[in-house]
Amino acid sequence: MKQLLIICFILSFLTGCGDDTPGNTDDFDRTTLLINLSDNLILPALNGFKTNATVLNNDVAIFLNNPNPINLETLRATFETAYIAWQKASIFEIGPAENIAYRANVNTYPTDVSNITALINSGSYNLDAINNYDSKGLPAIDYLLFGSGDNDTDIIALFSTHPDKEKYKQYLSDIAEDILSKTNYVYNEWISGYDATFKSNKGNNIGSSISLFTNAFMLHYENRFRTLKIGLPTGVFSIEEQSFPELTEAYYSGISIDLIKANFNQLEKTYLGDNGVGIDDHLIGVDAEDVNSEITAQLAVIKEKLNLLTDPLTAQVVNDRPQVVEVYNEIQKLVPTLKADMFSALSIQITYSDTDGD
């Protein structure tokens, strides 16, 4: 027994005896990777959405001060620009964003129209309550600006001549301000301390920056991008192969495909590190060039397949469902490679809950 302990002690210096689980160190220096992720991807995306959320909040105020067709069209255009900007920031659900459930606060869909109406009628509500997440944020604004009436005249009337116009005005103002407030919090937390924490936590154990980031990246790709944006509206999880267009993001404005493409482009850019060090370089640095090649090749396929999507997606998932399923299948092909091969090569453990399989 004593000899076995001596042998294992010696081998521990040579091979890491008895420890090949995720979290082991490797020779790749993650410093430049973390710096690039923060400085050139995360902070610009958060700042970009903060700028757009500020403009959105201002244009909401202008419209509510003078509800007319011109101000409505201006506000709609501002909203669509902000929604696209959100796609760049939404994948970074770590640190301050995770602490306040940022993504759930800003973009829980489908929005609950019945609850929105009930909250407006009550004139009293707590937007921070979890059961109101699906009644605020960008999807709620999408409904109020595009779907709350049969036409533009009816929508404008809600904020100008309707008996409860003041309640409608207050609610739209409050949810726009809520988006801006949550965004300011996340951005300010990053620049006032979390940025330094993120860059300095260079290990790959659970709780390290690369572990938190990679898990957030994978969770977003698998659940938010694959499942919510395409899988559920297309009905790929339905035994009857039935489409559910009402589950589509931006259901009322009809800009879901623009959002899907913007979100994918950010995912791809983040993986590649934009013009700096990315996850691809990390894989190459740990001698997993084959895994990186497989991922980059499939990302290119997905980008091409996304061109098969046509506006409005709500109609395509019903009238041309097989085409959308084809896009979903190509997105799905990358999930096992990312979850199994990438995480294994980087010695990172998956820490988020997975309830719908690979």
Side-chain angles (χ1 to χ4, degrees), residues 169-189:
K169 286 183 176 183
Q170 189 63 53
Y171 194 74
L172 179 55
S173 176
D174 286 346
I175 60 177
E177 175 59 36
D178 184 68
I179 293 171
L180 180 58
S181 175
K182 298 291 192 298
T183 302
N184 282 334
Y185 168 82
V186 173
Y187 181 76
N188 290 337
E189 286 293 301

Side-chain angles (χ1 to χ4, degrees), residues 255-300:
I255 60 169
S256 53
I257 294 176
D258 288 339
L259 303 184
I260 288 170
K261 289 182 177 180
N263 197 237
F264 175 78
N265 288 341
Q266 183 74 344
L267 284 164
E268 181 185 43
K269 186 166 74 170
T270 299
Y271 174 80
L272 297 174
D274 201 5
N275 294 319
V277 179
I279 303 174
D280 59 334
D281 297 297
H282 195 350
L283 285 169
I284 294 171
V286 295
D287 298 323
E289 294 94 338
D290 55 334
V291 177
N292 174 58
S293 295
E294 186 175 347
I295 293 172
T296 53
Q298 188 59 26
L299 286 172

Side-chain angles (χ1 to χ4, degrees), residues 39-83:
D39 291 353
N40 298 320
L41 288 158
I42 300 174
L43 283 172
L46 290 173
N47 189 43
F49 183 63
K50 183 172 77 76
T51 299
N52 280 277
T54 301
V55 177
L56 177 62
N57 198 55
N58 291 339
D59 282 355
V60 163
I62 292 172
F63 169 71
L64 295 180
N65 184 58
N66 187 11
N68 62 45
I70 294 176
N71 288 338
L72 177 61
E73 284 308 304
T74 299
L75 177 55
R76 283 173 168 175
T78 299
F79 164 78
E80 292 178 358
T81 300
Y83 217 157

Side-chain angles (χ1 to χ4, degrees), residues 146-223:
F146 294 88
S148 57
D150 293 334
N151 50 54
D152 290 359
T153 300
D154 289 346
I155 292 172
I156 292 172
L158 286 175
F159 302 94
S160 58
T161 60
H162 191 277
D164 289 328
K165 64 180 180 180
E166 295 303 324
K167 291 183 178 180
Y168 274 90
K169 286 183 176 183
Q170 189 63 53
Y171 194 74
L172 179 55
S173 176
D174 286 346
I175 60 177
E177 175 59 36
D178 184 68
I179 293 171
L180 180 58
S181 175
K182 298 291 192 298
T183 302
N184 282 334
Y185 168 82
V186 173
Y187 181 76
N188 290 337
E189 286 293 301
W190 264 92
I191 63 174
S192 64
Y194 189 74
D195 176 54
T197 300
F198 179 81
K199 292 174 180 176
S200 64
N201 193 355
K202 297 181 288 187
N204 64 344
N205 55 296
I206 293 176
S208 65
S209 293
I210 193 61
S211 174
L212 294 173
F213 176 84
T214 309
N215 272 277
F217 179 91
M218 188 65 233
L219 171 62
H220 187 94
Y221 179 89
E222 182 181 20
N223 292 346

Side-chain angles (χ1 to χ4, degrees), residues 53 58 117 142 147 150 201 203 226 246 253 255 299 320 324-325 354:
N58 291 339
T117 303
D142 182 61
D150 293 334
N201 193 355
R226 179 202 66 168
E246 68 275 9
S253 58
I255 60 169
L299 286 172
D320 193 11
V324 189
V325 171
D354 178 15

Side-chain angles (χ1 to χ4, degrees), residues 221-222 225-227 229-232 234-238 241 264 294 298-299 301-306 308-309 320-338 358:
Y221 179 89
E222 182 181 20
F225 177 69
R226 179 202 66 168
T227 299
K229 293 183 187 295
I230 298 178
L232 291 180
T234 312
V236 297
F237 306 108
S238 169
E241 298 186 352
F264 175 78
E294 186 175 347
Q298 188 59 26
L299 286 172
V301 171
I302 294 168
K303 175 171 279 190
E304 181 63 29
K305 289 295 182 180
L306 288 177
L308 296 176
L309 300 179
D320 193 11
R321 183 177 179 274
Q323 195 82 285
V324 189
V325 171
E326 181 180 345
V327 176
Y328 172 87
N329 288 339
E330 293 299 334
I331 294 171
Q332 167 59 27
K333 285 179 182 178
L334 190 53
V335 172
T337 306
L338 291 171
D358 296 343

